[in-house]
Amino acid sequence: MSWDDRLISKEELGTAARELRDNYSVQAEALIRQQTETWPMLRNAIAALAQAEHKEFSVKGTAAMAQFNPARIVSTSAQVDAATIKQRPCFLCAENLPPEEKGIAFGRRLVILCNPFPVLHNHLVITSRDHTPQTIEGNFAAMLDLARALGEEWFVLYNGPRCGASAPDHLHFQACARGTVPLFDDFGEMLRRDSEDVSETTRFGYRINLYAFGSAAQRETIDRFEQAVEYLKQVTYSDGEPMMNLIVTYQSGKWTVFLMPRGKHRPASYYAEGDAKLTVSPAAIDLAGVMVVPQPEHFERITAEDLERIYAEVTLDDMLFMR
């Protein structure tokens, strides 16, 4: 089945989506409704997410939570080594998607799909039509376009190939409704600032070390991002893409970019045995304050101290971050 076969018709999206063809927020919501009705796997996943348990914590003076989400074991425990990737069919290629799965085109290169393993409300996957590696180089502008097209009620994320992406062999982004993600509460003033203002902050001593910046000009946003990536390459001695997760919003006429540099893929507790083991594999949503825990016994015993340790372990350490 080709991507042309996967694209949903205007009739299937409904009246509102047909009348607002350029409003991707409306179209995305219509897609979710249609796919929920016609794709049992997604319908069951969304129902399960509505029943997900949460535990709230204070981590370094900021709000964070653990989410018990058993369905995410598929992504959390995904093997992303080169040998495994080479042997398995790519689950983001058109011919390997479930028969019921359909999407909407975003430009000529990308297709918006529903995530069958959601973490947050209105969880989307935006995949490349081409089977090309997960890399932000040359693709950051598309991420900005997507954030602007979806609008203020959404955010777009990118997980690097060694930072939580379960398909490091296929370019993709994700998008979700902003909802109650702690990151956006913590940076609310910056997000609301007038679009004419250029803003940036290097947050040290926060729950994680991160660099956030905002601008109404796309070219300036891209330039700042590329400068930050070059700096990361230098301090982490990276030949290719430095380890990172990204979150982008578009609000009040400007983009805000949250760049979260990484120190490692998974914490030591992921590989531990017995009571020391916690099956968590942080990606962008986890770093934003919603730590996904798919195992019930691990969810039961996870603590604020565990979260603080995991955040510190997988993000860029203080010494490198402050260089």
Side-chain angles (χ1 to χ4, degrees):
M1 187 179 290
S2 69
W3 280 116
D4 287 340
D5 298 323
R6 291 286 182 184
L7 296 181
I8 196 166
S9 69
K10 296 176 182 177
E11 289 70 26
E12 290 175 290
L13 279 181
T15 303
R18 288 198 302 271
E19 293 176 351
L20 297 169
R21 291 189 299 272
D22 296 328
N23 188 320
Y24 279 94
S25 178
V26 171
Q27 288 202 48
E29 291 179 352
L31 173 68
I32 293 168
R33 286 194 299 271
Q34 191 278 341
Q35 289 282 270
T36 302
E37 293 172 359
T38 61
W39 185 11
M41 179 182 177
L42 179 66
R43 182 166 60 248
N44 293 338
I46 291 176
L49 179 64
Q51 302 300 317
E53 296 180 53
H54 294 84
K55 290 167 63 174
E56 297 184 357
F57 301 103
S58 176
V59 180
K60 299 186 77 171
T62 67
M65 69 181 76
Q67 180 194 88
F68 176 47
N69 192 332
R72 291 296 298 185
I73 191 65
V74 175
S75 298
T76 301
S77 61
Q79 298 300 310
V80 293
D81 59 281
T84 300
I85 294 298
K86 186 176 181 179
Q87 292 173 2
R88 59 113 172 103
C90 176
F91 54 83
L92 289 180
C93 284
E95 61 270 22
N96 299 324
L97 298 178
E100 305 93 335
E101 188 166 9
K102 292 186 176 183
I104 55 178
F106 185 77
R108 296 182 178 180
R109 294 179 56 211
L110 301 174
V111 175
I112 300 174
L113 302 167
C114 297
N115 192 326
F117 305 104
V119 176
L120 299 173
H121 182 58
N122 285 358
H123 197 156
L124 305 172
V125 174
I126 302 90
T127 183
S128 169
R129 297 189 188 213
D130 299 321
H131 184 72
T132 187
Q134 179 81 333
T135 178
I136 198 62
E137 184 177 1
N139 297 308
F140 184 62
M143 188 178 184
L144 297 181
D145 290 340
L146 186 59
R148 177 170 55 187
L150 285 171
E152 298 193 354
E153 300 305 315
W154 301 75
F155 70 95
V156 179
L157 67 91
Y158 168 84
N159 293 323
R162 297 174 292 149
C163 306
S166 52
D169 55 332
H170 196 122
L171 175 65
H172 64 287
F173 304 104
Q174 297 179 53
C176 303
R178 286 176 51 170
T180 57
V181 176
L183 178 75
F184 303 129
D185 292 332
D186 297 337
F187 288 83
E189 182 179 350
M190 182 178 182
L191 291 168
R192 291 187 295 270
R193 196 167 298 166
D194 188 271
S195 62
E196 295 182 0
D197 294 337
V198 176
S199 55
E200 67 177 335
T201 179
T202 302
R203 189 62 69 92
F204 180 74
Y206 178 60
R207 182 173 64 248
I208 60 172
N209 292 330
L210 61 77
Y211 172 54
F213 57 97
S215 174
Q218 186 175 49
R219 183 68 256 172
E220 181 174 7
T221 305
I222 294 172
D223 288 344
R224 283 173 176 257
F225 173 70
E226 291 178 346
Q227 291 167 9
V229 170
E230 286 303 313
Y231 174 78
L232 273 181
K233 286 182 179 180
Q234 294 175 21
V235 299
T236 60
Y237 305 101
S238 302
D239 292 330
E241 178 174 306
M243 296 177 69
M244 73 177 91
N245 299 97
L246 294 170
I247 285 178
V248 176
T249 68
Y250 189 79
Q251 183 175 348
S252 302
K254 72 169 185 180
W255 290 277
T256 301
V257 180
F258 298 92
L259 192 162
M260 297 169 278
R262 295 292 292 266
K264 62 192 297 188
H265 179 197
R266 286 166 169 158
S269 56
Y270 182 92
Y271 306 99
E273 301 292 337
D275 290 344
K277 185 173 181 61
L278 291 171
T279 304
V280 295
S281 184
I285 292 175
D286 307 82
L287 298 186
V290 183
M291 183 70 73
V292 176
V293 187
Q295 300 284 16
E297 63 274 19
H298 300 177
F299 176 76
E300 184 66 27
R301 67 169 181 260
I302 198 167
T303 65
E305 290 73 22
D306 291 323
L307 291 185
E308 182 172 346
R309 173 180 47 77
I310 290 167
Y311 283 135
E313 190 176 350
V314 301
T315 54
L316 198 63
D317 65 47
D318 294 351
M319 183 175 296
L320 290 177
F321 185 76
M322 295 303 292
R323 279 181 61 178

